[in-house]
Amino acid sequence: MKENNSLPTQQVTEQKIKRRTFLAFTVFTIAGISSLGLWKAFRALPKTAKGLAAPTRRILAFNEKVNAQLFSNQHLAPTYPPEAAARAPRVNGRAGLPKTFEPLTWQLQVNVPGNPQMLSVSLRDIQRLPKTDLIFDFKCIEGWNQIVHYGGVKFSDFLQAYQLGTQSGKAIDPDRPGDWYPYVGLETPDGGYYVGLDMASVLHPQTLLCYEMNGTTLALKHGAPLRLIIPTKYGVKSLKRIGSLTFSLVQPRDYWYERGYVYDASL
Ligand SMILES: Nc1nc2c(c(=O)[nH]1)N[C@H]1C(S)=C(S)[C@@H](COP(=O)(O)O)O[C@H]1N2
Ligand SMILES: [Mo]
């Protein structure tokens, strides 16, 4: 016996078309109204301190935990030859960079809990430490990226040289994370821009305190005299014009976190 596989032809009457049109309109209207309702209900949910609905912030916090577990100092961002670097990289973000700034009298202020203004470090002091060059793909959350060439001191070398970053006051020991201050906060001299970083990311070998770009003095618009470069995170964390560096037991304030972004901004 053979079955007839072809679909049965059907006479579609005008009445049917009308009925279906009506049905489609009704369904779409209800769907539209209810999603608007859901959206409104979602917006009405209690906000966390950081301007996001609590469930959104919970999801972001969960993702950050997963990222922290996956983080490793052995994972390096890809690097490139110097010729690949942009000659005049894009300038993005001017928060905390007023024109009135005086670079010649600048010093880096280092603070530890209970002892603010513990240490001031001049640019010369920093330039005496071993220099590291890094050519990598800089990524901004706004959706652009470009290969840039920065030069400076490894953050970890700086901490080693000044015996900073531990609660015991001893030199940082990679095998004793319990002794590290868990966070470092960086701020521009005027406090107009600020980021918080976890110590594991600060100790990553490609995290640099930079005073050079393309082999010459860093321009003010790119963060002179000293800027952070942290290739394991989006550009938002690479603070330009560091004024102070503060070790902390709690998450330091963070400019874009306060405006609803994830805290860790890791790639
Ligand atoms: N002081 C300060 N640093 C900052 C910003 C800022 O607004 N102010 N913007 C950040 C963002 S979002 C990006 S993408 C990079 C851009 O660095 P560039 O201007 O050197 O390309 O700087 C970061 N550091
Ligand atoms: Mo950015």
Side-chain angles (χ1 to χ4, degrees):
M1 274 219 282
K2 276 195 178 163
E3 270 184 52
N4 188 353
N5 278 334
S6 66
L7 292 166
T9 51
Q10 204 182 42
Q11 196 72 30
V12 181
T13 63
E14 198 160 320
Q15 205 196 354
K16 261 188 181 156
I17 291 175
K18 273 192 182 147
R19 217 165 57 212
R20 284 183 193 182
T21 312
F22 175 74
L23 200 71
F25 263 111
T26 316
V27 167
F28 275 103
T29 309
I30 290 171
I33 289 171
S34 52
S35 42
L36 188 73
L38 273 174
W39 172 240
K40 286 219 167 124
F42 185 74
R43 294 295 299 252
L45 283 171
K47 298 274 186 291
T48 60
K50 303 309 173 195
L52 281 187
T56 318
R57 185 47 82 194
R58 272 201 294 277
I59 292 166
L60 294 180
F62 174 77
N63 287 343
E64 286 177 359
K65 276 197 188 135
V66 173
N67 275 335
Q69 295 300 312
L70 295 175
F71 187 83
S72 161
N73 274 0
Q74 313 303 319
H75 293 171
L76 297 181
T79 55
Y80 301 83
E83 313 83 76
R87 289 299 106 195
R90 198 169 165 154
V91 178
N92 197 46
R94 297 181 177 277
L97 304 180
K99 291 241 165 19
T100 52
F101 177 66
E102 183 43 74
L104 293 176
T105 52
W106 174 92
Q107 293 212 310
L108 175 65
Q109 301 299 323
V110 179
N111 310 311
V112 294
N115 189 5
Q117 306 269 304
M118 170 195 155
L119 180 74
S120 310
V121 188
S122 72
L123 189 59
R124 245 176 224 214
D125 292 336
I126 290 165
Q127 287 170 336
R128 267 193 274 273
L129 301 173
K131 199 181 113 193
T132 303
D133 276 86
L134 182 69
I135 300 127
F136 76 105
D137 198 7
F138 185 100
K139 297 185 174 83
C140 171
I141 35 175
E142 286 167 26
W144 55 270
N145 63 293
Q146 62 187 171
I147 297 173
V148 289
H149 177 178
Y150 276 96
V153 174
K154 280 185 192 168
F155 210 133
S156 61
D157 285 349
F158 171 77
L159 297 182
Q160 286 293 348
Y162 287 86
Q163 298 241 335
L164 291 167
T166 59
Q167 299 175 57
S168 67
K170 294 185 186 142
I172 287 249
D173 180 348
D175 297 325
R176 285 190 61 212
D179 188 30
W180 306 345
Y181 277 110
Y183 298 101
V184 178
L186 299 178
E187 305 210 354
T188 54
D190 68 349
Y193 194 75
Y194 37 93
V195 300
L197 306 163
D198 58 284
M199 187 59 96
S201 302
V202 165
L203 296 177
H204 187 279
Q206 291 174 317
T207 301
L208 307 179
L209 299 169
C210 293
Y211 48 82
E212 276 188 15
M213 176 193 273
N214 291 329
T216 59
T217 312
L218 188 61
L220 281 171
K221 59 188 174 189
H222 289 295
L226 193 69
R227 80 169 296 172
L228 181 75
I229 283 292
I230 181 158
T232 51
K233 295 183 184 290
Y234 279 107
V236 284
K237 291 288 190 180
S238 286
L239 184 134
K240 299 187 275 192
R241 193 185 292 176
I242 309 171
S244 69
L245 186 165
T246 305
F247 299 97
S248 178
L249 294 168
V250 294
Q251 253 187 8
R253 66 184 190 139
D254 188 276
Y255 187 91
W256 282 109
Y257 180 65
E258 288 173 0
R259 285 155 182 78
Y261 282 78
V262 287
Y263 192 88
D264 76 346
S266 56
L267 283 162

